[in-house]
């Protein structure tokens, strides 16, 4: 990660023995072109100028003809992306793994009239793109966080029936590195639903957007 697309890079390898250069070799390689879903750098530089600091990177979901995760450098130049072979409609979060070896992003659906989907997932992609794994996150909504120990916490919809009506709230689920998962927080345990309150049935009762 960090190299710009469509450029030729020169490198030199030097082997030293007891501080003395023993052998060296050099060569060139060319990075791949941007896929058509990724726009020019000028757009990202304009949109993200307040968050672009020298030497830094910004990761975010790109909603284009196909949703994909994107990382740009401090000039707004795309330096990492991943095109999913089986994408869902939305990506709402992108994060670098704590070990710095992979990028995680969520792949979710719009909520249909039938309710939240059960096949939502978080995708982990190695930086070189050679390894892709999937973490099943049923009813996953907008946001997730990767904790220092590798645990993945994410927002999920939780629906309950109140006075004969199905009401959609939120919960926080943690997926642990041993493969187990647990609900660690639910809005239903801390807030009381008011049937007389006005809320948007399309988005649900609480409709949490961010986990931080």
């Amino acid at each position: 990660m960090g190299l710009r697309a469509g450029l030729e890079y020169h490198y030199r390898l030097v082997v030293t023995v007891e501080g003395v250069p023993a052998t060296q070799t050099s060569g060139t390689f060319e990075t791949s072109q941007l896929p058509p879903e990724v726009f020019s750098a000028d757009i990202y530089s304009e949109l993200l100028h307040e968050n672009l600091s020298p030497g830094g990177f910004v990761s975010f979901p790109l909603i284009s003809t196909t949703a994909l995760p994107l990382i740009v450098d401090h000039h707004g130049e795309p330096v990492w992306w991943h095109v999913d072979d089986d994408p869902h409609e939305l990506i709402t979060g992108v994060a670098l793994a704590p070990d710095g070896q992979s990028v995680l992003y969520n792949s979710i659906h719009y909520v249909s009239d039938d309710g939240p989907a059960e096949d939502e997932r978080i995708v982990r992609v190695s930086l070189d793109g050679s390894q892709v794994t999937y973490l099943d996150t049923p009813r996953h909504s907008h946001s997730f966080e990767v904790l220092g120990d590798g645990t993945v916490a994410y927002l999920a919809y939780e629906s309950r029936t109140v006075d004969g009506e199905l009401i959609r709230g939120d919960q926080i689920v943690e997926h642990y590195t041993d493969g187990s998962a647990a609900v660690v927080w639910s809005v239903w345990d801390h807030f009381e639903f008011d049937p007389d309150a006005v809320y948007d049935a399309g988005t649900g009762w609480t409709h949490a957007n961010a986990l931080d």
Side-chain angles (χ1 to χ4, degrees):
M1 187 184 76
L3 303 182
R4 296 181 182 180
L7 294 178
E8 182 179 71
Y9 284 86
H10 297 255
Y11 66 88
R12 176 178 296 161
L13 300 176
V14 179
V15 177
T16 61
V17 178
E18 295 182 352
V20 179
T23 182
Q24 61 180 327
T25 185
S26 62
T28 62
F29 66 91
E30 186 172 333
T31 53
S32 60
Q33 299 292 327
L34 289 175
E37 296 89 349
V38 180
F39 309 119
S40 67
D42 293 341
I43 297 177
Y44 307 121
S45 181
E46 180 69 21
L47 292 175
L48 302 170
H49 69 279
E50 293 182 356
N51 296 310
L52 296 175
S53 57
F57 300 91
V58 175
S59 63
F60 59 95
L62 174 64
I63 309 301
S64 179
T65 53
T66 300
L68 55 83
L70 184 66
I71 298 177
V72 300
D73 65 14
H74 66 279
H75 294 292
E77 291 280 355
V79 294
W80 190 92
W81 61 89
H82 177 70
V83 179
D84 200 326
D85 293 333
D86 182 26
H88 293 169
E89 294 97 336
L90 284 175
I91 295 175
T92 58
V94 182
L96 185 66
D99 62 7
Q101 300 301 306
S102 59
V103 174
L104 291 87
Y105 67 92
N106 59 0
S107 183
I108 62 179
H109 296 282
Y110 290 106
V111 178
S112 69
D113 293 338
D114 297 327
E118 295 291 331
D119 63 341
E120 316 290 34
R121 64 195 183 193
I122 290 176
V123 185
R124 181 189 294 268
V125 186
S126 59
L127 289 183
D128 64 2
S130 63
Q131 298 181 30
V132 181
T133 57
Y134 300 94
L135 176 65
D136 293 331
T137 54
R139 304 176 307 283
H140 179 22
S141 57
H142 293 285
S143 182
F144 73 93
E145 288 289 330
V146 186
L147 308 184
D149 63 355
T151 296
V152 177
Y154 69 93
L155 284 172
Y157 296 116
E158 181 186 4
S159 299
R160 296 188 183 183
T161 301
V162 180
D163 296 333
E165 182 180 2
L166 193 64
I167 306 299
R168 190 165 66 245
D170 296 285
Q171 62 182 198
I172 299 174
V173 181
E174 288 187 350
H175 263 278
Y176 307 110
T177 55
D178 64 1
S180 62
V183 175
V184 297
W185 186 89
S186 170
V187 68
W188 295 98
D189 297 333
H190 298 276
F191 297 89
E192 183 177 354
F193 176 73
D194 182 359
D196 296 324
V198 177
Y199 73 97
D200 188 337
T203 57
W205 168 35
T206 48
H207 196 72
N209 274 273
L211 184 63
D212 191 2

